[in-house]
Amino acid sequence: MAGGSIILEPKQMFQTLQDMEKATQDLLKLIQDVTEILEAVSVLTFAFGFGELIKMAEQAINQVGNAVVAANNAFNSACKDVVNQLVDKFASEGAKSDYSSPPFVEVTIKINVADRAQIEPSQMRNSFDNHQQKNTQVANKSNDMRDIYRQTSNFWVGESADKTRSSFESKIVPEFENLKSTLDQIVSKGLEWIEDTVKFEASLGV
């Protein structure tokens, strides 16, 4: 294999390629779900500062979407020579020649102009509860992908293999962490705004 890499366990390689492909699809679906929730939340509030957080999330989502596709395709590309040689032999076990993902389609989240303070507490609380659940699922799936990459050391060795794994840890993992941090900020700030609104309405006897 090119770059001095050696595949020691072809069956394990094919299984890992399948696992990585599935994890990529699952993660992309989850961040699409998060995007839809953010879009729903965004139009419910005109609160100052919320639009900036939404746009931060939009950027983080796009970076993660591109990153996970790149990670999956980098692994697929690195194993391509071995895959092409062995795919026929392992076809009966579900092996195929290509596990790459199509390019990520970047998202754009519409926000309201922050020209007044307005929040719809009950609707937003439901959205944030759902949002937090999705955040946890995104974090868990990100960890799954990280574990898959780490496990490649069980069968994939050499300079190219080490470089690919190192690149994942240094470039992709920080994108996961940034997305989680940004999404957590939105939930925290959103719930804070809801509580302030409820207290303010109570003080007015609304």
Side-chain angles (χ1 to χ4, degrees):
M1 189 174 164
S5 291
I6 302 171
I7 299 294
L8 301 174
E9 296 289 345
K11 287 186 178 181
Q12 196 172 1
M13 176 197 68
F14 280 117
Q15 183 60 55
T16 304
L17 283 165
Q18 291 173 4
D19 292 345
M20 181 67 73
E21 181 183 43
K22 179 66 164 51
T24 300
Q25 293 171 349
D26 290 347
L27 189 50
L28 292 177
K29 176 61 170 63
L30 282 170
I31 63 176
Q32 180 59 45
D33 291 344
V34 168
T35 299
E36 291 174 1
I37 294 171
L38 291 177
E39 288 174 337
V41 169
S42 179
V43 299
L44 293 175
T45 180
F46 292 80
F48 295 99
F50 196 76
E52 287 82 353
L53 281 176
I54 292 292
K55 284 300 176 182
M56 285 174 57
E58 174 188 284
Q59 182 180 19
I61 285 170
N62 286 330
Q63 288 174 339
V64 164
N66 286 314
V68 297
V69 168
N72 179 68
N73 292 352
F75 182 44
N76 180 72
S77 178
C79 298
K80 198 73 173 178
D81 291 343
V82 176
V83 167
N84 288 336
Q85 292 174 30
L86 298 175
V87 67
D88 289 339
K89 179 178 179 181
F90 292 98
S92 63
E93 299 178 35
K96 58 182 182 179
S97 60
D98 187 11
Y99 296 83
S100 61
S101 298
F104 176 71
V105 179
E106 295 193 349
V107 303
T108 300
I109 304 174
K110 180 182 177 181
I111 59 173
N112 287 324
V113 177
D115 57 359
R116 60 188 183 277
Q118 176 180 321
I119 287 179
E120 300 291 343
S122 60
Q123 294 181 57
M124 288 192 71
R125 194 184 300 278
N126 290 335
S127 293
F128 282 124
D129 287 343
N130 192 13
H131 184 25
Q132 187 58 65
Q133 292 176 13
K134 290 296 180 182
N135 291 358
T136 300
Q137 292 174 23
V138 168
N140 290 341
K141 188 57 63 175
S142 299
N143 288 332
D144 288 347
M145 182 172 283
R146 192 176 186 184
D147 287 341
I148 292 169
Y149 244 88
R150 287 170 172 165
Q151 291 166 12
T152 63
S153 61
N154 295 331
F155 64 89
W156 184 29
V157 299
E159 182 179 352
S160 177
D162 291 341
K163 183 177 180 180
T164 302
R165 283 189 288 267
S166 176
S167 179
F168 182 87
E169 287 292 322
S170 64
K171 296 179 180 179
I172 309 300
V173 171
E175 299 291 357
F176 291 157
E177 294 171 346
N178 179 59
L179 176 60
K180 183 179 186 304
S181 175
T182 302
L183 295 178
D184 286 345
Q185 282 185 62
I186 290 174
V187 172
S188 177
K189 182 59 70 174
L191 293 176
E192 178 183 316
W193 279 326
I194 290 171
E195 292 304 318
D196 288 345
T197 300
V198 171
K199 289 176 181 177
F200 180 68
E201 289 181 346
S203 71
L204 297 177
V206 177

